[in-house]
Amino acid sequence: MERIICLLIGYVLGLFQTAYIYGKLHGIDIRDYGSGNAGTTNTMRVLGTKAGLIVLLGDILKCIMAVVAANLLFGKSHADIIYLLKLYAAAGAILGHNFPFYLHFKGGKGIAATAGLILSFHPYFIPVGVILFFGAFCTTHYVSLGSLLVYAGFMIEMVVLGQMGVFGMNQAQLIELYIIAAFLTIMAYYKHRENIVRLLKGEERKTYLTHKKDKKESEGSKA
């Protein structure tokens, strides 16, 4: 029952569609512009860096809130499986973000929400996630590549730390933890399937933190 509760709490919090709400406040449905994705990168490209950062913060916070809620509710009564419950809550938030029922299940790709998971799940995940994402983004300016590397690192680190006993759970509980982590990883890669194709073809769009650089890149690609 506690697993379902955490999943539902996460899903409800994930329904707070920051990009969609921000876009509506500015008179547009963000899903009708750019890539059509209700997430940070598309918001940044359509409405600017400030808008993108606001959306990023909102999506990160809703997943952190889900994990914190799970910890507050079950941290003492279910201390032996608290990491599993925190992952259920985070998974719910990511599912709510990606598939909001009131928007016909058309949301984002869950990367910013996943950043919230990495920041709140266990301290060991933070440095690896930061290095993988910003290492890839700063050298290539491909948000999608950084995102995919973060998930690959997340999955690998989850198994390594689990088998090292960091989470303090038995093997059956760890397998359940790995299954959820694998589900989130597969979902992220599926949501990025078009990005993966463009990356392989060398056609993926680069993202910069200023429109000036973005415009320069676009003009350079046309030349």
Side-chain angles (χ1 to χ4, degrees):
M1 179 58 72
E2 58 275 359
R3 290 168 171 78
I4 296 175
I5 291 173
C6 289
L7 192 64
L8 288 176
I9 288 173
Y11 186 80
V12 171
L13 288 169
L15 292 176
F16 186 85
Q17 289 290 314
T18 318
Y20 176 78
I21 294 170
Y22 190 93
K24 282 297 184 179
L25 290 174
H26 289 76
I28 68 169
D29 184 337
I30 193 67
R31 300 172 302 162
D32 294 332
Y33 294 83
S35 66
N37 184 59
T40 299
T41 303
N42 194 41
T43 302
M44 184 176 293
R45 289 171 176 167
V46 175
L47 296 174
T49 301
K50 178 182 177 181
L53 292 176
I54 291 173
V55 169
L56 173 65
L57 181 61
D59 289 345
I60 288 175
L61 285 177
K62 65 188 181 187
C63 192
I64 291 178
M65 290 172 63
V67 173
V68 170
N71 194 50
L72 289 174
L73 286 173
F74 301 109
K76 293 182 178 180
S77 61
H78 294 76
D80 56 326
I81 59 167
I82 190 57
Y83 283 105
L84 182 58
L85 297 180
K86 289 198 292 186
L87 189 57
Y88 268 105
I94 295 169
L95 285 170
H97 175 80
N98 289 356
F99 307 105
F101 72 89
Y102 66 98
L103 294 179
H104 306 291
F105 302 99
K106 184 181 178 183
K109 296 180 180 179
I111 300 304
T114 299
L117 163 60
I118 290 173
L119 289 171
S120 59
F121 187 74
H122 192 287
Y124 286 171
F125 285 87
I126 298 174
V128 175
V130 169
I131 291 171
L132 287 175
F133 180 81
F134 286 102
F137 177 72
C138 291
T139 54
T140 68
H141 293 285
Y142 292 137
V143 173
S144 57
L145 178 60
S147 302
L148 293 169
L149 287 176
V150 166
Y151 253 110
F154 168 75
M155 185 68 236
I156 293 171
E157 194 172 9
M158 184 69 78
V159 175
V160 171
L161 293 178
Q163 294 308 120
M164 288 174 60
V166 172
F167 305 131
M169 296 189 293
N170 62 44
Q171 195 59 39
Q173 293 163 345
L174 285 173
I175 290 174
E176 185 178 355
L177 189 79
Y178 302 155
I179 290 173
I180 300 170
F183 167 75
L184 293 176
T185 302
I186 292 170
M187 181 171 63
Y189 275 72
Y190 175 77
K191 295 285 283 186
H192 283 80
R193 60 193 183 281
E194 295 177 358
N195 303 86
I196 294 172
V197 171
R198 289 195 295 269
L199 282 169
L200 293 174
K201 292 182 178 180
E203 300 173 352
E204 178 71 328
R205 181 178 175 181
K206 295 184 178 183
T207 298
Y208 295 90
L209 297 180
T210 66
H211 282 302
K212 183 177 181 180
K213 289 184 178 181
D214 201 27
K215 182 178 180 181
K216 183 178 179 181
E217 171 68 23
S218 178
E219 289 175 348
S221 65
K222 292 179 181 177

